[in-house]
Amino acid sequence: MRKTVAGLVAGLTAAGAALSAAPAQAATCSVAADLPARVSIAAEHLEVPVRLVDTCGARYASFEVWGPDGRDQFLVWGEDGEGAPGSFHGTRSDWWAFSDWQRPGTYRTAWGKAFGPGDEHYPVAYDSMDVRFGTKAGLSARRSGGTVTLTVDLVQYHPFQYRFVPYGGAKATVQVNQGGTWTYVKSVTVGKDGKAVVAHAAPRSAQYRVVSWDTAPRWGATSKPVTA
């Protein structure tokens, strides 16, 4: 009898521990819209996939996206009639639509909500992304004896011309690959045509590249390596 009572007490203790642990475990779950860390505007229209990160098992979730000009977008994932029926589509991804007339800057999710199968509320987490105009960097090289002449060419996406145009006045750094490490050669500011010329003394052949600088409205870019 003592063994039976002892076993019963042990069983109840274990069950109680499991029950007390369950709410704590459930409380650690969350639902969030996984925004990309950075977005480059390089076309008139963009559709950025946004994945739902869900450790709760939600049947419905939605978030507002706010940017420099206020409320910008509404993202929704749902399996019922609320918001957008069947938005999960088996992948739990929605699309954040962006046009090049929108301002670059920081965009954040806010006012999120998520529901479980029994309409219980789940905790949500918020995310942000950095949106800027895209740029491209090019570099050409020509050797004459022990001197390499490097021509930098930078372009930027223009939101009203819907194409890339010279990135006049941009700053960039020319680098050389030495032993597998890119090292500094010279910093330049390109002209109105987006170009700059650098003469570099180099007795041996090497790889070169140019890296344009990030600015508040534009991402920098790295050119493909050239050998001279």
Side-chain angles (χ1 to χ4, degrees):
M1 182 67 178
R2 288 181 180 179
K3 291 183 180 180
T4 302
V5 172
L8 179 60
V9 171
L12 290 173
T13 301
L19 287 173
S20 62
Q25 183 177 359
T28 61
C29 80
S30 66
V31 181
D34 185 19
L35 300 178
R38 53 184 284 171
V39 171
S40 180
I41 308 169
E44 186 176 358
H45 298 290
L46 296 176
E47 287 189 344
V48 180
V50 180
R51 187 173 60 95
L52 184 71
V53 179
D54 173 19
T55 60
C56 300
R59 67 164 178 82
Y60 173 86
S62 64
F63 291 87
E64 292 184 5
V65 179
W66 286 67
D69 294 322
R71 187 178 184 276
D72 180 84
Q73 194 91 182
F74 185 65
L75 302 172
V76 60
W77 302 262
E79 291 180 329
D80 61 359
E82 184 177 7
S87 292
F88 283 152
H89 295 302
T91 61
R92 294 204 171 195
S93 286
D94 198 357
W95 294 89
W96 175 69
F98 196 90
S99 299
D100 61 4
W101 51 263
Q102 291 170 261
R103 278 207 297 160
T106 301
Y107 287 73
R108 297 180 174 87
T109 49
W111 302 104
K113 58 183 178 180
F115 301 114
D119 287 337
E120 62 274 27
H121 286 262
Y122 288 145
V124 297
Y126 297 114
D127 200 3
S128 65
M129 59 187 172
D130 193 344
V131 179
R132 307 185 196 186
F133 290 112
T135 63
K136 295 180 181 179
L139 184 68
S140 60
R142 179 173 53 84
R143 173 176 288 278
S144 177
T147 301
V148 174
T149 301
L150 302 159
T151 302
V152 176
D153 186 9
L154 304 181
V155 294
Q156 60 176 323
Y157 180 77
H158 195 293
F160 302 113
Q161 298 185 32
Y162 314 119
R163 61 188 178 93
F164 282 87
V165 299
Y167 190 3
K171 298 182 183 296
T173 301
V174 177
Q175 300 174 337
V176 62
N177 192 330
Q178 294 183 333
T181 301
W182 290 101
T183 60
Y184 176 87
V185 173
K186 187 176 182 179
S187 292
V188 298
T189 300
V190 300
K192 292 182 180 180
D193 60 355
K195 299 183 186 296
V197 177
V198 175
H200 175 59
R204 293 187 298 274
S205 176
Q207 275 192 327
Y208 297 89
R209 73 179 185 184
V210 62
V211 180
S212 63
W213 299 5
D214 287 342
T215 65
R218 295 174 181 83
W219 291 114
T222 301
S223 71
K224 292 181 179 179
V226 296
T227 302

